[in-house]
Amino acid sequence: MELYNTLGQKKQEFVPYEPGKVRMYTCGPTVYHYAHIGNLRTYIMEDVLEKYLRFSGYDVKRVMNITDVGHLSSDADTGEDKMLAGAKREHKTVLEIAKFYTDAFFADCAKLNIKTPDVVEPATNCIDDFINMVSVLLEKGYAYQAGGNVYFDTSKLDSYYVFGNQTEEDLAIGVRDSVEEDENKRNKADFVLWFTKSKFEDQELKWHSPWGYGYPGWHIECSAISIKHLGEHLDIHCGGIDNAFPHHTNEIAQSEAFLGHKWCNYWFHVLHLNDARGKMSKSKGDFLTVSLLEQKGYNPLVYRMFCLQSHYRKPLTFSYDSLDNTAKAYDKLIKKIATLDNDAEVDKEQAQLYIDKFKEAMDNDLNTSLGLTAVYDVLKANINGATKRYVLSEYDKVLSLDLLSGEKQQNTESSTADAEIDALIEKRTQARKNKDWATADAIRDQLKALHIVVEDTPNGIKWRYEN
Ligand code: AMP
Ligand code: ZN
């Protein structure tokens, strides 16, 4: 499989560190608000990547953190903690906010058929691991204490801007934009590993450390959690493109300084979802959520399909018009699949040809839009219905669009109908017991109109459709 690697900025053949195994890490949500559909674009595409790797036969272990401490409103280590801001906004404690929005995040993921990673680790569970990592970085001379905080010293690295698309000037602009410059830093790019001198005194969650009572920086959590669960060699690290700098750049700096060797081989970044006003962002406040789409009558899987229609490395613009088009296409697709015959044998040889076509699309840097085209090609193909169903169910292990749900729906519709008939018969039995002949006769006529024959049997009342 070829994947675009931000490290090196080109498509590369994916070769895991250990044959057959993939260790995959995902930056999880900062749980101070609902995830917006932009965040979820990233998680949908990462989910497709994970599932496709499994589909290709890899044994995948995927880990995700939950950022419940340390994420400041500015990546330049200044501003208020996002979690604390969320707690103030809702008059709750930080832990209450974290619990509420973590649950909300996974509820959204479930609606979008996003699988929960094998390990989900809140940052506040791993304070000892962060302290250990910071201690080693200090011992090795990669970190220094200043003004009560511990900083990573970027001047100790051979190369800091590893993704190649950032320069000192870019960073300088970032620093100028921020309200205050941190005078404790020896170099502009240095970043905080452990805070004690908070700019805001009311930080709710603090822990004892060798450097004082405080809390971890945001970047350290992903390095420490990844190394804790996935070891010293990571195959793929995922996230939205905004995380490439400074978050991932800093993760690489501190992880490699800590380990003493290269850490992660492939960096998978999903481009942003924008709306008419630009990048969708949590801090802007009014943003689109899965619940909002549901309230407007959209099946969340329509949004999943909307994401799959575009390549993850292209920015995607959201509009209701385009979502409406996807909704129509989705509806038509599910209905079409539900009409496929299922009375023949699956032709495994033919099926393999179509599975190979799908793999060809997905092996090419996860080309999901061609993956969807493969779905339509199967429907048009000159193969029997059972084979089509089989191939589509294989594709759906990766696409997770519930492609065969039309049939399920029909079954549920008929079981609802069955339950209604059972209820009518029960009502008629009760009416007869109560000698309420008018009701009993009315129900008998109703059942007759539905072509239902009711029979008294030793095992109770049974009914069947009249032939
Ligand atoms: P956060 O909860 O802010 O930490 O972000 C969670 C994930 O969503 C990260 O991987 C971000 O890079 C990603 N993300 C943030 N905004 C967007 C967006 N507009 N489109 C796609 N991904 C995004
Ligand atoms: Zn991260």
Side-chain angles (χ1 to χ4, degrees), residues 27-30 36 38-39 41-43 71 239-243 271-273 279-280 282:
C27 288
T30 311
H36 55 64
N39 301 127
R41 177 191 192 195
T42 293
Y43 294 111
H71 196 170
I241 190 68
D242 57 317
N243 279 350
L271 268 82
H272 281 149
L273 180 82
K279 182 199 157 191
M280 200 169 284
K282 274 190 212 179

